Structures are given as structure tokens and as C-alpha cells.
Amino acid sequence: MNVSRIAIAGGVAASAVVLLAGTASAHVSVQPQGPAAKGGYATVNFKVPNERDDASTVKLEVSFPTDHPLSSVSPQPVAGWKIDVTKSKLAKPLDVHGKKINEAVSKVTWTAEGDGIKAGFFQQFPLSVGQLPEDADQLVFKALQTYSNKEVVRWIEEPTEGGDEPENPAPVLALSAPAEGAHGAAADDKDDHDAAEAKERTAATETASSSNSDSTARVLGIVGIVVGVAGVAFGVLAGRRRSA
């Protein structure tokens, strides 16, 4: 009898641990798509689970680190969500590809235009970010999750080394070691971007030139037809005069 009670108690305790672990892990997080190497660029996803049975998540606000500002932040459109990007003036300008950047994105806000994230579901919010810092191992983003019942959960607690996970941990993006030849990677990315734009401009110019050439050919063709018809008419009239 005692053994049964102990077994039942142990099972209940184990279930409680599993439930607590599941609850603790269900928070706003950020993960890269592929590598997030120091000094490079990356696409990241903010994963937002809905933790309420009686409310939907209708807003997510993500604040960007001020100690390592990012010069480039581009959100990917998400169906059913409005996106607002807030920029702030930098205390110290950034030098990016030889250009001085005086402001950077300080916050991105996603607001549901419909029902938002319902109970039992999650949503991912992708961003393209860069240039990632070379002198940091991680970036901490503080997030606010707003529910349809006006409740706001503040995921802003920074984790500490060797300590327990906070109750409301902030999303943390771990940065990997720089890729081989990373010193030129950012410049290569910019060169690729410039090359793509140049290619588009060249294609547009070629299209315009081709269009102009086609128009000129049509005009010359019409002129040739008119001249030919005039020549035939002149020949016919001349023949009639000779006959007369």
C-alpha cells in the first residue's frame, strides 16, 4: 500500500515537473534561420506562443539593444499583422560600408488586424538584421506581448550565467563565430546588393533601348511601304502617259 502511494506521489511529482518545464519554455524567443555569425547578416524569427486559454495575442513589441545598434533591420510581411518600425537617433554614429549612420531601428511592433494568435497556436515574425556585432556573443531583445484582454506580459528579464532561468526571460540571439573571410563578408553583401541593383538598371535600360529600336524599325517600315506604293503609282501614271 505504501509502495503504491509512493509510486502515485512520484508520478504526480513527475507530471508536475513536466508541466512546469513546459510552462517555463513557452515564452517569446528568437532563433536564426541558418547562421547568425558575428560581423554578418542574418534572418531571425521571433516565435510567439499564446499562453492563455481565454485570450488571443494581438500585439508584439520588440526593443532592440542600444549597446549594439543594428544599422539594417527589415521585417518580412506577415499576413494579418500591421508592422511599425521605430527609429531613434544614435548617441554615437555607426560607420557602415564607409557611410555614417546617425539613426537605427530601436523597436519593431506587430499589431494584429484580425483575431491574432489564438489559444493553442503560435506565430513567427521574421526579420532580416545586420550588421551583427563582432565584439559580442549574444544580443538581448526585450519584448512585450499584449493579449486581447489587455494583459501585457513583459519578456524583459536578462538571463545570468549559471543562474536559474528568469520567470519572464527576454529573447536572446546567440551569435556564432565569424565565417571564414568574415572581414570582407559585409562588403561582399553590399557589393552583391549593388550588383543586383545595377543589373536591374541595365535590364531596364536594355528594355527601353529595345523598345526604342522596335519603334524606329516600325516607322522605317511604314515609310518604306509608303515610298513603295508611291513608286508603283508613279510607274503606272508614266505608262499611261506613254500609251496616250
Side-chain angles (χ1 to χ4, degrees):
M1 188 69 175
N2 291 336
V3 173
S4 299
R5 289 179 179 176
I6 292 173
I8 293 172
V12 171
S15 299
V17 169
V18 171
L19 288 174
L20 289 173
T23 302
S25 62
H27 52 70
V28 176
S29 60
V30 59
Q31 292 294 333
Q33 293 181 8
K38 298 178 181 180
Y41 292 77
T43 298
V44 300
N45 281 323
F46 284 90
K47 182 179 178 181
V48 183
N50 190 80
E51 297 182 300
R52 301 293 180 265
D53 296 329
D54 57 350
S56 299
T57 297
V58 294
K59 182 187 286 188
L60 173 69
E61 301 171 72
V62 175
S63 296
F64 285 72
T66 56
D67 54 343
H68 294 291
L70 301 176
S71 60
S72 174
V73 177
S74 301
Q76 178 177 317
V78 179
W81 293 81
K82 175 188 174 185
I83 305 174
D84 292 311
V85 178
T86 303
K87 292 185 177 182
S88 299
K89 193 172 183 64
L90 297 173
K92 181 181 179 181
L94 295 175
D95 188 356
V96 181
H97 308 311
K99 296 181 179 179
K100 293 293 182 181
I101 305 298
N102 295 313
E103 63 177 14
V105 172
S106 56
K107 184 170 69 173
V108 177
T109 303
W110 291 265
T111 305
E113 297 180 319
D115 295 332
I117 309 171
K118 297 181 180 180
F121 290 85
F122 74 92
Q123 177 69 53
Q124 294 193 95
F125 299 94
L127 288 173
S128 174
V129 298
Q131 184 176 355
L132 299 174
E134 298 180 356
D135 57 349
D137 296 323
Q138 64 182 26
L139 291 177
V140 179
F141 300 87
K142 296 184 178 182
L144 302 182
Q145 181 180 10
T146 302
Y147 286 92
S148 56
N149 60 3
K150 308 302 181 183
E151 178 189 3
V152 178
V153 181
R154 301 169 62 83
W155 304 101
I156 62 173
E157 299 177 33
E158 298 189 26
T160 57
E161 288 188 22
D164 296 332
E165 184 180 48
E167 183 178 354
N168 293 315
V172 177
L173 176 65
L175 304 182
S176 59
E180 188 173 340
H183 289 292
D188 290 341
D189 288 344
K190 183 177 183 298
D191 291 342
D192 291 342
H193 179 71
D194 292 344
E197 288 188 344
K199 186 176 180 180
E200 291 178 359
R201 289 194 296 269
T202 301
T205 301
E206 290 176 351
T207 301
S209 299
S210 177
S211 177
N212 292 335
S213 298
D214 291 343
S215 300
T216 303
R218 291 193 189 98
V219 172
L220 292 176
I222 293 172
V223 170
I225 293 172
V226 172
V227 171
V229 171
V232 171
F234 179 79
V236 171
L237 289 175
R240 288 179 178 178
R241 288 174 181 173
R242 283 196 296 272
S243 297

